[in-house]
């Protein structure tokens, strides 16, 4: 999830880039993370509370998978630091406890959720949102 007030994965990547002077990704950086703006997720949450049956599984993925390399590139450009590809050993030292999240390839479809609950994300995608000042203030 992303948006103003985000305190999760992306702000942690920004902090690492600031501290270490590089914006990094593991390997070729093609591993993907599903994303959703927090306001789109809130709209789906409301729909779920109002109409989802007990035990329903919903996927709040506005974007099926944004490559980590693309995230690192926006962070690098915004901070004025180089974007680097790290080996497995280097990635472990750089990312620490979030390495699992930084390496994971997890494309996720929300097609069934969109169709079943008439959910249509309308907020900016992760890369457009990440390119805003609120992530770098």
């Amino acid at each position: 999830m992303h948006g103003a007030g985000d305190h999760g994965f992306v702000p942690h990547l920004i902090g690492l880039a600031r501290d270490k002077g590089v914006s990094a990704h593991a390997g070729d950086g093609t591993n993907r993370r599903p994303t959703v703006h927090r306001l789109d997720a809130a709209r789906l949450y409301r729909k779920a509370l109002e109409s989802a049956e007990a035990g329903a599984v919903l996927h709040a993925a506005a974007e099926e998978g944004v490559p980590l390399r693309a995230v690192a590139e926006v962070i690098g450009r915004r901070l004025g630091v180089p974007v680097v590809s790290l080996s497995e050993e280097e990635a472990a030292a750089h990312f620490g406890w979030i390495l699992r999240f930084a390496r994971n390839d997890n494309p996720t479809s929300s097609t069934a959720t969109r169709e079943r609950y008439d959910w249509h994300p309308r907020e900016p995608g992760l890369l457009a949102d990440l390119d805003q000042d609120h992530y770098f203030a």
Side-chain angles (χ1 to χ4, degrees):
M1 213 170 354
H2 61 88
D6 182 356
H7 297 289
F9 181 68
V10 172
H12 194 79
L13 292 178
I14 293 168
L16 284 173
R18 280 189 171 124
D19 292 347
K20 299 186 180 220
V22 297
S23 182
H25 56 81
D28 64 6
T30 58
N31 53 309
R32 300 155 294 173
R33 298 182 54 80
T35 68
V36 65
H37 192 280
R38 65 188 187 93
L39 297 177
D40 286 324
R43 286 183 198 97
L44 179 58
Y45 190 82
R46 179 178 178 182
K47 285 180 176 275
L49 289 173
E50 292 173 349
S51 62
E53 61 280 354
V57 176
L58 291 80
H59 288 140
E63 296 174 287
E64 291 187 8
V66 176
L68 190 59
R69 179 179 58 227
V71 173
E73 288 169 350
V74 173
I75 293 170
R77 180 174 46 77
R78 290 295 306 240
L79 293 179
V81 299
V83 177
V84 298
S85 170
L86 302 177
S87 69
E88 287 296 316
E89 184 176 294
E90 293 168 326
H94 180 87
F95 291 109
W97 66 271
I98 67 164
L99 176 63
R100 185 178 123 214
F101 303 104
R103 283 192 343 207
N104 190 26
D105 185 36
N106 185 29
T108 302
S109 173
S110 64
T111 301
T113 297
R114 290 173 193 236
E115 291 171 0
R116 185 170 197 154
Y117 298 98
D118 193 33
W119 177 62
H120 306 284
R122 59 182 187 236
E123 300 300 326
L126 174 61
L127 298 179
D129 191 32
L130 178 56
D131 208 7
Q132 303 304 305
D133 292 339
H134 61 86
Y135 271 103
F136 298 93

